[in-house]
Amino acid sequence: MYETFYGLERKPFQLIPDPKFYFGSKQHSRAKAYLEYGVSRNEGFVVITGEIGAGKTTILRTLIDGLHGSNVVTGHLVTTQLDAEDTLRMVGAAFGFKVKDVPKSELLITLEAFLISQTSQGKRCLLIVDEAQNLSMRAVEELRMLSNFQFGNQALLQSFLIGQPEFREILQRPEMEQFRQRVAATCHIGPLDRPETQGYVEHRLKQAGATDKPTWGDGAFDAIYRATGGIPRRINSVCDRVLLLGFLAGRTHLSADDVEEVVKELEQENALPAPRARAGAAAPDSRPGELAPASTLPLDVDLTQLSVDAGTADSVAKHLARLSAEQRLDQLQRLERSLLRLERINVQTLSLLQKLVGAIRLRGDEPAALPGPETGDAKAAAASRPADAPADMAVDKTADQGADRPVDKAGGKAAARPAERVAAKLAADKGPLRARL
């Protein structure tokens, strides 16, 4: 956006790590030397730690770019919030072979065969693990086991672990003793000092194509150092906004006041919004229906200016106590009504279940129809049988019945229909009921 205004070829303070902007401070040069030493040694682990935004990834990418065209085959692992077996699969994927739905045993065999193949061709395999502080203990142990792969007296795999300072604390645990014995070198990257901060800013502007613009006033670099603490990523963020401010103002000379203004803007943008109290809202730790503590309620009154006599204060206290008691009584009444409604619902549910069970029992007592070939006599009986009589019932036309009723063929007894059984049960229940009445 502002590149043309300052005569730049590219953005000098982008947040994405770019090896073209690598700045060799004392600590960055030392860390890079440790990595190069590890590559030449071709065994064990090299551990590099540093604060967030200290430039660890930039060093890594600078190293990887320098290895292009060499006999070193690199695998770069970034996602480390995985369990041990998934970490092992990511290692395989980093070197470019299939890992999906492959058992762990077959995965290890494939990985070892790949490493042996590369070593036989005169190549060396280097695994780079970024964000190592996210590795679980079991994942670190899996990586240590990979370092046991050998071809003759030559190690098949070397690993660089890059992480934040807490990874150093992980390495100091007693259970990490075996891993510590495999570490060939370790280095920590701290922040830049004041002269390095100025050198860093000027270096990135020069790499972006700057010649005589922008210019910096007295105290500008001091303000940048105070605001960023010498962390490269923070320096990028502040300087990018300062260049934007100068562009919007049409000035190529940037002062300490410009830096301070940008720093205030960034602080306001990154500040968390203050919680706003809602009217009638209870405190987070209060029970439903209780009044929120006075300390959580917004007050527009200066309490130091209030002057109340003892009698008035006592009267107000009694009134507040009465209101609090009434509020608690209302709460108990609401709770009681809720329990009564719940009890009625339970009673109704139980009644419906009893009716449902009764209906199922009645249906279970009905005789099942047995279809079969009909003879001439059966056809005649069926013609004289009531339409709703069961198929296995004959019709008894004896004189003392006075009406056609279905008869059970097996026992010869008149079978009661479900409706008749229900009516009989109701009639039987009326007797005790009348006696009680």
Side-chain angles (χ1 to χ4, degrees), residues 355-373:
K355 291 180 180 179
L356 178 61
V357 172
I360 293 174
R361 286 178 177 175
L362 289 177
R363 293 195 62 179
D365 293 338
E366 295 179 6
L370 299 175

Side-chain angles (χ1 to χ4, degrees), residues 214-347:
T215 57
W216 301 87
D218 294 337
F221 291 112
D222 292 332
I224 293 174
Y225 178 70
R226 287 194 303 270
T228 62
I231 301 298
R233 187 178 298 167
R234 299 178 188 171
I235 296 173
N236 290 354
S237 179
V238 171
C239 289
D240 181 70
R241 291 289 292 269
V242 171
L243 292 181
L244 179 60
L245 176 65
F247 165 70
L248 296 176
R251 293 184 283 103
T252 59
H253 182 75
L254 306 172
S255 64
D257 293 337
D258 295 328
V259 177
E260 296 292 347
E261 182 178 349
V262 165
V263 170
K264 290 180 181 179
E265 291 179 356
L266 291 175
E267 290 177 351
Q268 292 174 357
E269 293 173 2
N270 297 328
L272 294 175
R276 293 180 299 178
R278 294 177 298 174
D285 57 346
S286 63
R287 293 185 294 272
E290 283 190 334
L291 292 176
S295 59
T296 65
L297 297 177
L299 292 176
D300 295 332
V301 180
D302 186 1
L303 298 179
T304 61
Q305 301 297 324
L306 290 179
S307 177
V308 182
D309 59 272
T312 304
D314 185 57
S315 175
V316 171
K318 292 180 180 179
H319 182 68
L320 291 175
R322 185 172 62 255
L323 291 176
S324 179
E326 293 176 355
Q327 188 271 338
R328 289 192 178 90
L329 179 61
D330 291 340
Q331 181 181 358
L332 291 175
Q333 290 176 348
R334 289 194 299 270
L335 181 61
E336 183 179 3
R337 287 194 295 268
S338 299
L339 291 175
L340 289 175
R341 286 196 297 270
L342 181 60
E343 184 178 358
R344 284 198 297 270
I345 293 173
N346 290 338
V347 171

Side-chain angles (χ1 to χ4, degrees), residues 106-326:
E106 184 177 342
L107 182 62
L108 289 172
I109 293 173
T110 305
L111 181 57
E112 185 177 14
F114 170 80
L115 297 176
I116 293 175
S117 170
Q118 297 298 313
T119 303
S120 301
Q121 300 175 26
K123 298 181 180 180
R124 297 154 53 190
C125 294
L126 172 63
L127 174 65
I128 299 176
V129 181
D130 207 351
E131 301 296 340
Q133 76 278 355
N134 295 326
L135 290 171
S136 64
M137 301 292 292
R138 294 184 61 238
V140 174
E141 182 63 17
E142 288 288 357
L143 295 178
R144 186 188 69 81
M145 295 300 294
L146 293 181
S147 66
N148 292 330
F149 288 155
Q150 292 184 347
F151 185 68
N153 295 326
Q154 182 178 356
L156 295 178
L157 180 65
Q158 185 182 22
S159 301
F160 290 170
L161 303 183
I162 316 298
Q164 296 175 16
E166 51 264 36
F167 185 59
R168 303 180 70 180
E169 300 176 3
I170 296 175
L171 295 182
Q172 298 304 315
R173 296 176 182 175
E175 56 269 30
M176 299 296 292
E177 175 63 26
Q178 288 185 309
F179 181 85
R180 287 198 300 270
Q181 294 179 2
R182 299 292 182 91
V183 176
T186 180
C187 179
H188 180 73
I189 304 174
L192 305 176
D193 57 22
R194 162 61 181 80
E196 287 176 337
T197 298
Q198 179 175 349
Y200 176 82
V201 174
E202 293 174 344
H203 169 76
R204 293 192 71 104
L205 286 170
K206 183 178 179 180
Q207 292 299 113
T211 54
D212 56 346
K213 294 183 296 186
T215 57
W216 301 87
D218 294 337
F221 291 112
D222 292 332
I224 293 174
Y225 178 70
R226 287 194 303 270
T228 62
I231 301 298
R233 187 178 298 167
R234 299 178 188 171
I235 296 173
N236 290 354
S237 179
V238 171
C239 289
D240 181 70
R241 291 289 292 269
V242 171
L243 292 181
L244 179 60
L245 176 65
F247 165 70
L248 296 176
R251 293 184 283 103
T252 59
H253 182 75
L254 306 172
S255 64
D257 293 337
D258 295 328
V259 177
E260 296 292 347
E261 182 178 349
V262 165
V263 170
K264 290 180 181 179
E265 291 179 356
L266 291 175
E267 290 177 351
Q268 292 174 357
E269 293 173 2
N270 297 328
L272 294 175
R276 293 180 299 178
R278 294 177 298 174
D285 57 346
S286 63
R287 293 185 294 272
E290 283 190 334
L291 292 176
S295 59
T296 65
L297 297 177
L299 292 176
D300 295 332
V301 180
D302 186 1
L303 298 179
T304 61
Q305 301 297 324
L306 290 179
S307 177
V308 182
D309 59 272
T312 304
D314 185 57
S315 175
V316 171
K318 292 180 180 179
H319 182 68
L320 291 175
R322 185 172 62 255
L323 291 176
S324 179
E326 293 176 355

